[in-house]
């Protein structure tokens, strides 16, 4: 699967097709739902937890437990293109929360330069979670409160 994010990318793909450098095949498929596991991962992320004052563990889980969890994830988690969607969504959401925490809502969402801060495709993904997922909306609010407190404290 190839995602074209903007007109420059579209021109690149068209040039590669015309030069026979790439071929378009069937649509990539996957299985499993990625949205719930994405939010579970975001909610447990140590960077996100640190932003909102949560408990951040100094040490990770024991290696054997991590291996068992990874095996379970491979068995019951999203597969194929849906695993890629999970990974993209997770990283975009975590980065969005980080930018909100560091820069504040005004600069990220109301500056008139939103495209410079976060491209449209990323904003579309964030917007989907804001509309569809209560836990993401709650997490966003916690990050905004923590960001305001940080500014007030002069950090």
């Amino acid at each position: 699967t190839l995602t074209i994010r903007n007109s420059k990318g579209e021109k690149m793909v068209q040039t590669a097709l015309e030069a026979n450098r790439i071929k378009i095949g069937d649509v990539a498929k996957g299985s499993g739902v990625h949205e719930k596991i994405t939010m579970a991962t975001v909610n447990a992320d140590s960077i996100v937890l640190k932003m909102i004052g949560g408990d951040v563990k100094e040490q990770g889980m024991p290696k054997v437990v991590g291996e068992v969890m990874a095996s379970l994830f491979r068995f019951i988690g999203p597969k194929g293109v849906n695993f890629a969607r999970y990974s993209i969504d997770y990283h975009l959401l975590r980065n969005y929360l980080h930018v909100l925490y560091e820069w504040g809502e005004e600069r990220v969402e109301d500056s008139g330069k939103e495209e410079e801060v976060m491209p449209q495709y990323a904003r579309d993904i964030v917007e989907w979670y804001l509309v569809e997922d209560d836990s993401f909306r709650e997490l966003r609010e916690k990050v905004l409160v923590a960001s305001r407190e940080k500014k007030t404290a002069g950090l």
Side-chain angles (χ1 to χ4, degrees), residues 56-126:
V56 179
K57 294 180 175 56
E58 293 295 320
Q59 250 184 328
M61 65 183 72
K63 185 176 180 180
V64 69
V65 174
E67 289 172 357
V68 169
M69 288 186 65
S71 294
L72 281 172
F73 188 77
R74 280 193 301 270
F75 181 69
I76 63 173
K79 293 169 185 53
V81 73
N82 284 351
F83 180 81
R85 288 182 180 122
Y86 151 77
S87 182
I88 290 167
D89 287 9
Y90 159 59
H91 288 93
L92 284 174
L93 296 177
R94 184 186 64 186
N95 292 345
Y96 166 77
L97 292 172
H98 175 74
V99 170
L100 269 183
Y101 179 74
E102 292 296 331
W103 291 354
E105 184 176 26
E106 302 77 29
R107 184 165 176 195
V108 174
E109 297 173 357
D110 302 323
S111 66
K113 297 182 179 183
E114 295 85 5
E115 187 70 26
E116 292 176 17
V117 175
M118 194 166 59
Q120 185 62 51
Y121 75 91
R123 285 185 284 142
D124 291 345
I125 291 170
V126 168

Side-chain angles (χ1 to χ4, degrees), residues 9-73:
E10 192 171 347
K11 288 177 191 171
M12 290 171 65
V13 169
Q14 190 58 40
T15 300
L17 283 169
E18 290 168 3
N20 287 323
R21 303 273 309 201
I22 61 171
K23 294 180 183 176
I24 303 294
D26 293 333
V27 174
K29 295 184 169 93
S31 63
V33 177
H34 71 282
E35 293 87 357
K36 291 202 182 297
I37 191 75
T38 298
M39 279 313 305
T41 306
V42 170
N43 281 313
D45 185 277
S46 61
I47 294 171
V48 174
L49 289 173
K50 186 174 182 180
M51 282 188 265
I52 61 173
D55 291 331
V56 179
K57 294 180 175 56
E58 293 295 320
Q59 250 184 328
M61 65 183 72
K63 185 176 180 180
V64 69
V65 174
E67 289 172 357
V68 169
M69 288 186 65
S71 294
L72 281 172
F73 188 77

Side-chain angles (χ1 to χ4, degrees), residues 52 142-155:
I52 61 173
K142 289 178 184 177
V143 167
L144 286 172
V145 167
S147 177
R148 287 184 206 112
E149 289 172 353
K150 181 180 80 151
K151 274 187 187 169
T152 302
L155 300 174

